[in-house]
Amino acid sequence: MNTLRHLARYALAAAAIGAPLAWALPAHAANGPVYQTSRHNAGTPNSDVVTKKNGQITSYGDSAITYNVPSPALAALGQALYLQNCASCHGTEANGVPAAGTTGAFPNLVGLGPATIDFWIESGRMPAADPRAVQAPRRLPRLTHDQALAIAAWINSLSPSYPAIPTVNVKSANVAQGAALFALNCAACHTIEGDGDALARSTFAPSLRNIPATQVAEAIRTGPGNMPRFTGNLSDYQVADIVKYVTTEIQHPRNPGGLGLGGLGPVAEGFVALLVGVAVLALVGFWVGERQ
Amino acid sequence: MSDHEHRTPVSLSGLAADDPHLAPAARNPLLVERVIALSLLLGLVLVVGFGVAYWMNAAPWTLGATMGGGLFFLGTGLVAWGKYLMPKGPFVEERHRLANSEADRDAFAAAIVERGGSVVKRRKVLGGLLGGGLGAFGVVALFPLLRSLGPLPKGTLFHTDWRAGSYAVDQTGRRVHVDDLAVGSIVTVFPEGTENTDRGQAVDQTVLIRISNQNYVTQKGRESWGPMGYIAYSKLCTHLGCPVGLYEQQLQLLVCPCHQSMFNVTNGAIPNFGPAPRPLPQLPLYVDAMGYIRSQSDYHEPVGPGFWERS
Amino acid sequence: MSDTITKRQRQRAGGRYGAVGRALGELDDRLGVARGGRTFLDKIFPDHWSFMLGEIALYSFVILLATGVFLSLYYVPSSTIVTYHGSYLPLDGMPMTQAYQSSVNLSFAVRAGLLMRQMHHWAADIFIGSMVVHMARVFFTGAFRKPRELNWTIGVTLLTLAIVNGFLGYSLPDDLVSGTGIRIAYSIILSVPLVGTYLAFWVFGGNYPGTVILQRFFILHVLVVPGIMLALVTFHLILLVRQKHTQFPGEGRTEDNVVGSPMFPVFMAKTTGFLFIVAGVTAAMGAFFQINPIWQFGPYDAARISYAVQPDWYMGFLDGALRIFPAWQFHGFGHTIPLEVTIPAVIFPGLVFGLAYAWPALERRVTGDHAMHNLLDRPSDRPKRTAAGVAVLALISMLFIASSTDVIANYFKVSLNTVLWTMRILVLISPFVAYPIAYKIAKELHETKGGGRRKVTNVVTRTESGEYVAVPAPAYVDDVREELEPTPVPVFIEETEPTGEDDASGGVRVVERD
């Protein structure tokens, strides 16, 4: 009903003003979806408010991210889980020296900080499917969230360290700032659309399409694998901005222009242009012409 | 149009109205006519729908679908009309020799050679002067045409804005302090004051990597360049100048995202894979009394891709 | 001149055909178009479907001009930095050039702007794609031979200009991806020995990035290059009319005639309909497939970069060549020649297009064939030419694939280094593998009688005595296509006074025009 009324009104307007004029007039109206985000003044990083402990940053002096150390009460459970799932490679002391009979060097986990332990377990990379793989791929986690926290608690109890597990306050973060920071710091590996790509030798920058906020923040702060760490050069506000951009625009692109074509950019576009555009038109041409 | 007079007139046959050449190609013209009508009607409806969608400020895909569909069905109807309902032929057209007779050609050539020759031969000086003048104009005109386009390169490709004592600042203009980066961290830095200029971003951009907690030596002769494990390389790829922003901290490689040249960070950024022929130039650093990262001097060689004047 | 004469002249000048006849008469009085016009309407177009490939290119060009004019009304070719406060909030407050801001605005704030932008980009991709296919058709059928070498040359020039203009247009939005492309173009110009730095400084008005490059690219993209292309397209078509079409050999088809449908009305209906279809498909692609989402890429900043950045597909072979070429620089006598750039990005494309330009002359020289050719070859008729064309296409295709080594490595989860080495080998061997295969196939097809035709079914029956007899089956209705003897386009001239209504039986008689 409303639609009809609108139509009628448009028809009247067209009749009154004259179609060509009216055609030109509404051209300034906003088109497509309306984009919304909350705004605030992103804090600029300031080394003075950074709190350090044993040379490690424990807080960036702002409230965009809360870092939580897992409860020491979980440590006993954590040790049991650790021995069951991790010790065969990382050793019973978590120092990277495996049990007798195993060869090869594995990372020392002592002093890595709960965020690192949590990231590797909760992203399903650990326990590793293939310990010899150049890079452990992301997969469904083998251990639950609570189990991961417990293991992190036990390893942390061996030598308390940072960063602790971040909880990102994305509500007050600024998507536009996040986009700019993402382009400067992340896109070189993960691509500007967040799809990831192959890096040197057999390493890969993983896709960011399906990664929870906490893990994004953990990865930024701890630099898992070949990824560089972003510490004093990004404030918590800035990390929160990036996390918000990743969890909104990267993971849920609005694609106002149609199908997103897998974010592969001009390669996918070229295939569509040739295999859909040119091919369909050539087929139509095949019909228009004769086979002789 | 006068050549029509000399051409053999086009011979055209007459055809009886019931000649099979004039019959429609379709076996069942009535059915085809209906299908065409349907296609054209669909096209008409969709084109009107495009107008409505435009008035209602619909999403781009609605606009495109109605306009595209409308044009497609109008086109399909029109093609089918031509293909199935119009005279099926086949028709033939004679092809005529484009070349003229020997006599015509000779006359043409003679006009140019004889007339031209007679004029130029008699007035050699005039011809020479005119030719010289025009030729000189061609050469002279080239200078302002090209030269006005831009300045000469001179020495600009050999230097950046890094000076002795320049503070390394990130893109927000914040000075980088020795405590800022953990081992394995990377940040893009500029000499203070250029972080927001085009030239700063295009030429001076530098990657600052913390590779260890001790002074780090990437090559002989660069013993003092990596204080406290901070090392800096030009961010411009020596292949085509893309920003080499891709740092793999375990492999210790800087990779160019454009053409995948790989530079060995621990060994003076010597390329070990891909098309880049030269190492990334390294910027000598020092940590000042306040703990800020500063440059000892400019780069010791031109940054970025190769060019002729580069020695 | 008295009034009566004028009236009589008017009567004579087509008075029998009503308003149209009178209008044409007036036109003919002034321009003398009747005879040429009639010849033009009778012009015969071959019906073979492969002749439609060039029309895809022609109509994509029309769409490019139309949508391009729309875009040029909103785009601002300026490097001035502004702060964005438009309707796309993820970019809110970001500093950017006016060029990028206007590109985002014309996508989101201008009604149907995004559709027009996407149509323009898809049309460009299709334009060049169909040009390549059209060129392949002309090449493999030998349509470039005497007397059509000039038109082949124009076609190669058009393809070159289209690729250049595609790159220029790709650069205009000044987003992160296109900015990287400009950066690479600058470095390629810089790599030219002796004059590279001067050329680069002249093109960019100084050291990279300068402030003038967008306005220079803009005027080249919207005026200079398309202007030249429009002139060349026109000339391309004029030559086509003047020299008449080629045609495949067949019944009634000779070197001295053209068989097909007349310009009016059959061809005109088909081709106009095809224009609408090309426009329709382009619009549908603009509607449903997102292309070049510049708002996701963000504004260009020389220090930022995205991985997996490729140029549009038609530049892909250059990017691939740059990727796989080894790191060979010449260094000596106080100078550097960046061969790793100059060879793949300057010399190699020069050779490819040079070969395309020179091919008709080369073939004439090798075969010694200086005759006029209006009848086409089938690709199998000339195995060597076909194989050479396939070899070059194979090389270019492998280079195109080499431009996405990272995508391949990521997709198949193999080492990037391995993929690159594999592509280096594949690119090198591809022409040498493609040539003999194509040659063999063409040769055997050529030697096979009736190749490509529908085979007649044989029915094998067993007689009572146990003998097997093969008899050709009776043809299906569809198997036999009745092909009439080609006839010239008929002329109807009414001998009697027109009755004013269609009168096919009595008044109209068909006569020959002398």
Side-chain angles (χ1 to χ4, degrees), chain B residues 2-308:
Chain B
S2 64
D3 64 334
H4 277 288
E5 307 302 325
H6 303 293
R7 269 165 51 176
T8 327
V10 187
S11 92
L12 294 167
S13 73
L15 286 179
D18 59 351
D19 188 285
H21 285 93
L22 300 182
R27 276 211 201 92
N28 187 347
L30 216 66
L31 179 71
V32 173
E33 202 177 325
R34 279 188 200 147
V35 174
I36 292 173
L38 195 68
S39 180
L40 292 177
L41 184 69
L42 204 56
L44 176 69
V45 168
L46 282 170
V47 166
V48 172
F50 170 65
V52 174
Y54 184 87
W55 287 119
M56 301 188 66
N57 197 10
W61 73 266
T62 320
L63 297 175
T66 47
M67 181 168 87
L71 290 174
F72 183 85
F73 285 112
L74 285 180
T76 314
L78 188 50
V79 167
W81 190 350
K83 186 177 162 84
Y84 298 115
L85 298 184
M86 289 181 187
K88 69 174 167 189
F91 297 101
V92 70
E93 182 182 27
E94 294 304 312
R95 206 189 281 279
H96 302 284
R97 225 169 74 95
L98 290 171
N100 292 295
S101 68
E102 273 310 309
D104 283 340
R105 291 191 197 201
D106 283 349
F108 187 34
I112 292 177
V113 175
E114 286 176 4
R115 286 181 209 166
S118 69
V119 171
V120 175
K121 265 179 204 154
R122 273 198 230 155
R123 306 266 188 273
K124 266 187 187 161
V125 179
L126 294 185
L129 285 174
L130 180 65
L134 290 178
F137 178 73
V139 173
V140 172
L142 207 62
F143 285 107
L145 200 67
L146 289 178
R147 186 59 186 81
S148 303
L149 286 173
L152 296 180
K154 303 224 169 94
T156 53
L157 288 167
F158 290 85
H159 304 290
T160 71
D161 298 313
W162 289 97
R163 300 275 176 277
S166 295
Y167 284 95
V169 299
D170 70 10
Q171 211 167 24
T172 62
R174 192 177 59 109
R175 290 176 182 175
V176 180
H177 190 266
V178 72
D179 284 343
D180 279 352
L181 297 193
V183 173
S185 291
I186 179 175
V187 61
T188 301
V189 293
F190 309 86
E192 194 172 43
T194 69
E195 67 274 10
N196 282 320
T197 63
D198 278 346
R199 181 173 160 81
Q201 287 167 359
V203 178
D204 304 331
Q205 50 174 319
T206 295
V207 285
L208 182 65
I209 295 170
R210 187 157 202 192
I211 197 166
S212 87
N213 284 321
Q214 277 86 45
N215 293 352
Y216 196 87
V217 185
T218 61
Q219 265 185 354
K220 257 198 172 166
R222 300 183 179 177
E223 282 74 11
S224 69
W225 291 17
M228 303 296 285
Y230 277 90
I231 53 174
Y233 291 112
S234 163
K235 202 182 179 184
L236 289 177
C237 186
T238 55
H239 180 221
L240 287 167
C242 289
V244 188
L246 199 165
Y247 172 54
E248 297 202 65
Q249 62 143 321
Q250 287 180 337
L251 297 175
Q252 289 299 2
L253 288 176
L254 274 166
V255 183
C256 178
C258 287
H259 302 99
Q260 287 85 41
S261 295
M262 298 173 191
F263 302 91
N264 190 341
V265 172
T266 59
N267 187 21
I270 290 174
N272 62 14
F273 193 78
R278 289 181 306 280
L280 299 171
Q282 187 177 352
L283 186 70
L285 300 176
Y286 70 97
V287 177
D288 72 5
M290 301 285 289
Y292 288 110
I293 311 287
R294 298 167 73 169
S295 59
Q296 293 180 23
S297 68
D298 193 0
Y299 287 99
H300 291 198
E301 53 184 315
V303 297
F307 52 93
W308 172 255

Side-chain angles (χ1 to χ4, degrees), chain C residues 228-276:
Chain C
I228 298 172
M229 288 180 74
L230 193 57
L232 286 177
V233 166
T234 312
F235 196 43
H236 201 64
L237 296 178
I238 288 175
L239 282 186
L240 175 109
V241 172
R242 174 93 178 139
Q243 298 180 322
K244 297 204 166 76
H245 280 77
T246 53
Q247 60 186 347
F248 281 106
E251 223 161 296
R253 283 148 227 247
T254 68
E255 288 281 1
D256 300 320
N257 69 7
V258 196
V259 175
S261 305
M263 170 80 188
F264 185 80
V266 182
F267 180 75
M268 204 173 262
K270 281 184 174 182
T271 198
T272 313
F274 199 53
L275 164 64
F276 289 164

Side-chain angles (χ1 to χ4, degrees), chain A residues 78-229:
Chain A
Q79 185 176 19
L81 285 165
Y82 175 87
L83 291 174
Q84 207 179 336
N85 293 293
C86 323
S88 61
C89 291
H90 294 283
T92 49
E93 307 292 315
N95 56 4
V97 183
T102 333
T103 52
F106 294 94
N108 177 3
L109 304 182
V110 177
L112 282 187
T116 308
I117 309 298
D118 183 61
F119 175 85
W120 283 85
I121 297 176
E122 292 217 35
S123 68
R125 291 185 168 86
M126 289 293 147
D130 172 12
R132 316 242 159 250
V134 176
Q135 182 178 336
R138 179 183 189 83
R139 54 186 187 144
L140 280 179
R142 293 304 193 73
L143 301 170
T144 64
H145 174 64
D146 292 336
Q147 290 172 324
L149 286 185
I151 294 174
W154 178 68
I155 294 174
N156 198 43
S157 74
L158 300 176
S159 162
S161 43
Y162 295 90
I165 296 165
T167 307
V168 186
N169 178 13
V170 285
K171 253 188 193 157
S172 59
N174 182 322
V175 156
Q177 292 281 345
L181 289 164
F182 185 87
L184 183 66
N185 294 298
C186 319
C189 298
H190 292 284
T191 82
I192 196 73
E193 300 185 32
D195 289 293
D197 205 350
L199 307 180
R201 306 201 189 130
S202 289
T203 57
F204 301 88
S207 163
L208 304 178
R209 295 272 190 196
N210 204 14
I211 299 186
T214 297
Q215 286 178 27
V216 177
E218 284 172 343
I220 294 172
R221 283 301 187 210
T222 67
N226 267 301
M227 179 169 159
R229 300 169 70 180

